[in-house]
Amino acid sequence: MKILIAEDDFRVAEIHQEFVNKLKGMDVVAKAKTASETITLLKKHTIDVLLLDVYLPDQKGSDLLPIIRKIQPNLTVIVITASTERTIFRTSTHFGVVDFLIKPITFERFKLAVKKAESRRGFLEGSNQLTQKEADQFFQYPYKLEQVFPKGIDPITLEKVKDLLKTTIQGITADEMGELLGASRTTSRRYLEYLITIEEARAELEYGVVGRPERLYYKKNQEK
C-alpha cells in the first residue's frame, strides 16, 4: 500500500516512517509538513492510506477531511494526534476515518491500525456480491469495543499462538508451543487452554509408550 504521512514534526514523521518500513507491502510515497502540502501531494499521487496529524501549522488536519474526500474519495485515513478532544474524534469518524491514534503510539498499535486499513480496503475492493453476514462483520469491526482479555493473556502473543496452531495439523504440545514462542511450558499452556475456553481450539490425550499421556492441541474443527 502507498502511504502518505502528514506530520509537521519531522522526528515524529521519521518514527512513523520507520514503523511503516517494518511492515511488509507498505511504502511511504511522501511526507507533508503542512495542510497545503498534503493537498498538493494528494492531487499529485494516488495514495492508499493517509496518516494524518491534526495540529498542522496552517490548518487542522480534521478540517481537511471534507477536502480530502473530494480529491480522493476512496482514500483510507488514519488520524494520529495528540488531541484528546471528542469533537475532533467525532469529526474524524463522520468523514470515514478508520482509526484514531493518540500520541505517543506504540509500534504494535500502529501496526494494528494499518493492518485494519489494509483489511478494509481489501474487503471494499472485493467481488460485487455481498452477503448479509459480510456486511454485518464489516460494520461491527470498526466500532467493536476492545476485547477484554483475562490476566496473563496478551493479545499479540495470543495471535501468534493462533497462527502457530493453524500450521500444526498433527497437533502440538504445550512444550512444543513454548519452544516456538520462546516461552515457558506454563505460559504456552495458559494460552492454549484459553483458546479452548473461547472455542477456538481443542485438545486430545495422546498415550505414548512410557510416561503419562500428553495433551495435544489442535485448531478447532481442524482435521488430523
Side-chain angles (χ1 to χ4, degrees):
M1 294 197 301
K2 296 178 180 178
I3 296 176
L4 170 63
I5 298 173
E7 168 62 61
D8 66 315
D9 187 326
F10 76 92
R11 292 163 298 185
V12 174
E14 285 296 321
I15 291 171
H16 294 167
Q17 177 157 14
E18 288 175 10
F19 283 175
V20 172
N21 292 342
K22 292 180 180 180
L23 301 175
K24 187 177 180 180
M26 312 291 172
D27 181 45
V28 175
V29 173
K31 288 182 283 187
K33 295 181 180 179
T34 64
S36 60
E37 189 179 358
T38 301
I39 296 301
T40 299
L41 289 168
L42 286 175
K43 290 178 178 178
K44 183 178 180 181
H45 301 283
T46 299
I47 303 296
D48 296 311
V49 179
L50 169 64
L51 305 179
L52 179 64
D53 183 25
V54 169
Y55 296 123
L56 297 171
D58 51 342
Q59 191 176 358
K60 278 187 178 181
S62 52
D63 294 339
L64 285 182
L65 289 169
I67 303 170
I68 289 168
R69 285 286 168 240
K70 290 180 180 178
I71 299 170
Q72 293 198 34
N74 298 323
L75 177 65
T76 300
V77 182
I78 298 172
V79 168
I80 305 179
T81 178
S83 172
T84 56
E85 296 177 45
R86 194 173 292 271
T87 52
I88 290 177
F89 179 82
R90 188 162 53 240
T91 300
S92 299
T93 57
H94 178 74
F95 286 101
V97 165
V98 300
D99 215 335
F100 192 96
L101 307 186
I102 298 174
K103 299 175 182 176
I105 62 173
T106 64
F107 171 68
E108 292 300 336
R109 184 63 183 87
F110 179 88
K111 178 181 177 181
L112 181 64
V114 174
K115 289 298 182 181
K116 181 196 294 185
E118 183 180 33
S119 176
R120 286 171 60 93
R121 287 187 67 85
F123 182 92
L124 293 172
E125 293 171 2
S127 63
N128 290 330
Q129 300 303 313
L130 180 74
T131 67
Q132 184 62 58
K133 183 178 179 181
E134 289 173 327
D136 291 343
Q137 289 174 339
F138 179 83
F139 282 109
Q140 288 170 6
Y141 179 58
Y143 308 109
K144 186 177 180 181
L145 294 175
E146 185 177 355
Q147 185 177 353
V148 178
F149 295 95
K151 184 178 180 181
I153 299 294
D154 170 67
I156 304 300
T157 305
L158 185 63
E159 287 303 315
K160 291 179 182 178
V161 174
K162 287 183 182 180
D163 289 339
L164 289 168
L165 206 56
K166 290 176 186 176
T167 65
T168 55
I169 299 174
Q170 302 302 320
I172 189 169
T173 67
D175 284 328
E176 291 167 340
M177 180 63 77
E179 289 180 7
L180 293 172
L181 285 175
S184 68
R185 178 182 184 277
T186 302
T187 298
S188 62
R189 184 183 176 89
R190 182 193 313 134
Y191 282 90
L192 290 165
E193 292 294 332
Y194 174 70
L195 288 176
I196 291 175
T197 65
I198 61 173
E199 299 185 347
E200 291 193 30
R202 61 185 176 85
E204 293 182 5
L205 290 178
E206 182 181 72
Y207 292 86
V209 178
V210 294
R212 292 182 298 177
E214 277 200 292
R215 200 163 162 82
L216 282 179
Y217 296 88
Y218 300 84
K219 184 179 180 296
K220 187 78 171 180
N221 300 324
Q222 186 177 50
E223 296 290 338
K224 284 187 179 182

